[in-house]
Amino acid sequence: DYITLSNVLGACLTPDDLLKHGLPIHAHIVLTGFESNSYVQNSLITMYAKCGDLQSSECIFDGLLNKNTISWNAIIAANAHHGLEEEILKCIVKMKNAGIDLDQFSFSEGLAAAAKLAVLEEGQQLHCLAVKHGLDLDPFVTNAAMDMYGKCAEMDDMLRILPQPLNRSRLSWNILISAFARHGYFQKARETFNEMLEMGLKPDHVTFVSLLSACSHRGLVDEGLTYYAAMSKEFNVPPGIKHCVCIIDLLGRSGRLIEAETFINEMPVPPDALVWRTLLASCKIHGNLELGKKAAEHLFKLDPSDDSAYVLYSNICATTGKWGAVEDVRRQMGSYNIKKKPACSWVKLRDQVVLFGMGDQTHPQTSEIYAKLGELRKLIKEAGYVPDTSFALQDMDEEQKEHNLWNHSERLALAFGLINTPNGSTIKVFKNLRVCGDCHSVYKFVSGIIRRKFILRDPYRFHHFSGGQCSCCDYW
């Protein structure tokens, strides 16, 4: 019956499963007339998406005559599985316009999408709508809203909706610890962990990933190693690959690269690409070409098409002045047709997201933006700023390197924000790659001179700039 078919479809999870089982079962569904059953239709949407064929999921969904909350949720989940956060938000708008009621799943997925995109206004609108529907106290919606506010740098709003300790689930505790870690508040992360233990809740693997990450970003090596040891000995949480990556990052960032390599060789789980990429990134920070080459070779074996491996290794070569090796890496990328992911930064202004690439001159306010950059450059140089041209990874003279640094996307986004926001307001800038060290220095100087607060989020953490200082204490 339809229950049998729905459950069997749910067991198909890979492209191989789709070819071997999913397609024949779908053919059987058509032959036996179950194709019009709403449960089966939704299971088909989910099955195709999980097996990598989102186009078929959309085709089935578009063909439904009566789309209800469950079918909308199925296509939302399908887009979530493929990481298409913008499509999720578009689906929710269409769903609402069609008069379909959103449930706790719809709100949770929508808030999660807003969190990943860091679009605060859309997240706030969804949260307000959940309140109107009486679903704001649903634990799934509450946790999703907390996560959204934390990832949009609105910590006060996150704490405002945080359940009381007695009513707080382990997921809520984990979201809170993770948010503190991401924003560089290690002391608060540790206090929250201790409070969680006092309330009698047992930490899980997610809790320790957040704690270890917090230690890594503050250079607290001994404390991180203590947590890692306690994880399995005291709390019976077996180390997973993410915990191991945190320890490699912890050791690597602090310059203990040999210990990091030894740890990889003795890991309780086989090293994956993320392990070697983390070690490679640490080698880049400390200019260790020999170990970086080893890490890069492991990455090339695991995935010859991984652009980050080539870029990181090329950057180490450039940092250490091995320009011939840089050209070799670039030729190798060309032979595999691998292109470097371009850096970009963006600012959300009212209902518009304004995106900038390096040296971008496409914005209508380009002349004003570059004029503002020139003004900032003069101000911070007078205040003692000295450009660190080691972050300009091209073989050229110092003057050209400095010029290139001032074309970085996060500086363009900052200048745009200063031009278009009221004095005294906080400017939020988002970047798709790790923030450049010299840009970090520029943000600090500017925040001190013009008395503005800036929040810069890269893929790994938030940097809160105020009064010439950063929340990361220059360790990230």
Side-chain angles (χ1 to χ4, degrees), residues 155-209:
M155 292 294 287
D156 289 343
D157 285 338
M158 186 192 79
L159 295 172
R160 199 171 288 122
I161 63 170
L162 176 69
Q164 292 299 309
L166 283 172
N167 301 323
R168 209 175 287 169
S169 66
R170 183 162 60 186
L171 179 56
S172 297
W173 286 102
N174 284 345
I175 289 169
L176 187 57
I177 293 169
S178 175
F180 283 139
R182 194 179 297 110
H183 286 269
Y185 305 133
F186 170 75
Q187 190 58 38
K188 288 183 179 179
R190 178 168 56 185
E191 288 169 4
T192 304
F193 175 69
N194 291 334
E195 190 183 354
M196 177 184 178
L197 297 182
E198 287 167 12
M199 295 301 298
L201 268 84
K202 183 185 173 186
D204 61 7
H205 69 285
V206 176
T207 318
F208 283 103
V209 168

Side-chain angles (χ1 to χ4, degrees), residues 302-349:
L302 286 168
D303 185 3
S305 64
D306 182 0
D307 66 315
S308 64
Y310 294 94
V311 171
L312 280 168
Y313 181 55
S314 171
N315 289 349
I316 297 174
C317 295
T319 304
T320 54
K322 306 290 183 184
W323 298 109
V326 172
E327 287 304 315
D328 290 342
V329 174
R330 287 176 182 164
R331 275 194 293 271
Q332 200 175 352
M333 289 177 73
S335 65
Y336 285 110
N337 199 25
I338 297 167
K339 293 181 180 177
K340 176 185 174 182
K341 187 203 296 190
C344 65
S345 300
W346 61 97
V347 178
K348 184 90 178 346
L349 192 67

Side-chain angles (χ1 to χ4, degrees), residues 43-92:
S43 298
L44 283 167
I45 291 168
T46 303
M47 185 269 292
Y48 276 108
K50 285 186 175 178
C51 293
D53 186 359
L54 182 60
Q55 190 174 1
S56 292
S57 294
E58 291 169 341
C59 186
I60 293 166
F61 176 76
D62 290 341
L64 298 181
L65 296 176
N66 298 306
K67 297 181 176 76
N68 58 18
T69 302
I70 297 170
S71 53
W72 276 102
N73 283 344
I75 198 65
I76 286 170
N79 280 290
H81 185 77
H82 286 261
L84 301 173
E85 284 78 27
E86 286 186 39
E87 291 304 316
I88 293 169
L89 296 178
K90 287 176 184 176
C91 281
I92 287 173

Side-chain angles (χ1 to χ4, degrees), residues 63-299:
L64 298 181
L65 296 176
N66 298 306
K67 297 181 176 76
N68 58 18
T69 302
I70 297 170
S71 53
W72 276 102
N73 283 344
I75 198 65
I76 286 170
N79 280 290
H81 185 77
H82 286 261
L84 301 173
E85 284 78 27
E86 286 186 39
E87 291 304 316
I88 293 169
L89 296 178
K90 287 176 184 176
C91 281
I92 287 173
V93 171
K94 290 175 186 174
M95 187 176 175
K96 189 172 178 299
N97 290 341
I100 307 295
D101 287 334
L102 280 74
D103 63 9
Q104 56 266 55
F105 180 87
S106 322
F107 283 117
S108 298
E109 286 292 346
L111 288 164
K116 287 178 182 173
L117 293 170
V119 285
L120 177 63
E121 288 82 357
E122 286 78 358
Q124 287 172 324
Q125 288 166 14
L126 274 170
H127 190 209
C128 289
L129 198 57
V131 173
K132 287 181 182 177
H133 280 66
L135 290 170
D136 56 309
L137 298 181
D138 178 272
F140 294 102
V141 176
T142 299
N143 286 324
M146 280 175 55
D147 191 46
M148 182 274 295
Y149 284 119
K151 287 177 179 172
C152 290
E154 295 294 328
M155 292 294 287
D156 289 343
D157 285 338
M158 186 192 79
L159 295 172
R160 199 171 288 122
I161 63 170
L162 176 69
Q164 292 299 309
L166 283 172
N167 301 323
R168 209 175 287 169
S169 66
R170 183 162 60 186
L171 179 56
S172 297
W173 286 102
N174 284 345
I175 289 169
L176 187 57
I177 293 169
S178 175
F180 283 139
R182 194 179 297 110
H183 286 269
Y185 305 133
F186 170 75
Q187 190 58 38
K188 288 183 179 179
R190 178 168 56 185
E191 288 169 4
T192 304
F193 175 69
N194 291 334
E195 190 183 354
M196 177 184 178
L197 297 182
E198 287 167 12
M199 295 301 298
L201 268 84
K202 183 185 173 186
D204 61 7
H205 69 285
V206 176
T207 318
F208 283 103
V209 168
S210 297
L211 270 178
L212 292 172
S213 175
C215 291
S216 172
H217 286 289
R218 288 307 296 265
L220 302 168
V221 180
D222 293 336
E223 194 139 8
L225 293 173
T226 301
Y227 279 129
Y228 180 77
M231 189 172 71
S232 52
K233 287 179 183 175
E234 292 181 33
F235 300 101
N236 297 316
V237 176
I241 196 71
K242 289 185 179 179
H243 305 113
C244 293
V245 166
C246 286
I247 294 297
I248 295 158
D249 194 46
L250 179 76
L251 293 167
R253 281 180 194 275
S254 63
R256 292 159 68 166
L257 293 167
I258 303 305
E259 289 177 65
E261 186 183 19
T262 303
F263 180 84
I264 292 172
N265 294 331
E266 298 172 356
M267 269 170 52
V269 288
D272 64 0
L274 185 56
V275 164
W276 295 112
R277 198 178 298 121
T278 303
L279 181 64
L280 185 57
S282 294
C283 290
K284 194 267 176 188
I285 292 170
H286 297 286
N288 190 319
L289 184 60
E290 185 182 345
L291 185 55
K293 187 175 182 181
K294 272 191 204 176
E297 285 170 353
H298 281 287
L299 271 171

Side-chain angles (χ1 to χ4, degrees), residues 342-345 355-362 370 407-410 412:
C344 65
S345 300
L355 184 76
F356 296 95
M358 182 172 176
D360 203 324
Q361 298 199 12
T362 59
Y370 281 95
N407 280 328
H408 279 195
S409 63
E410 54 264 61
L412 298 174

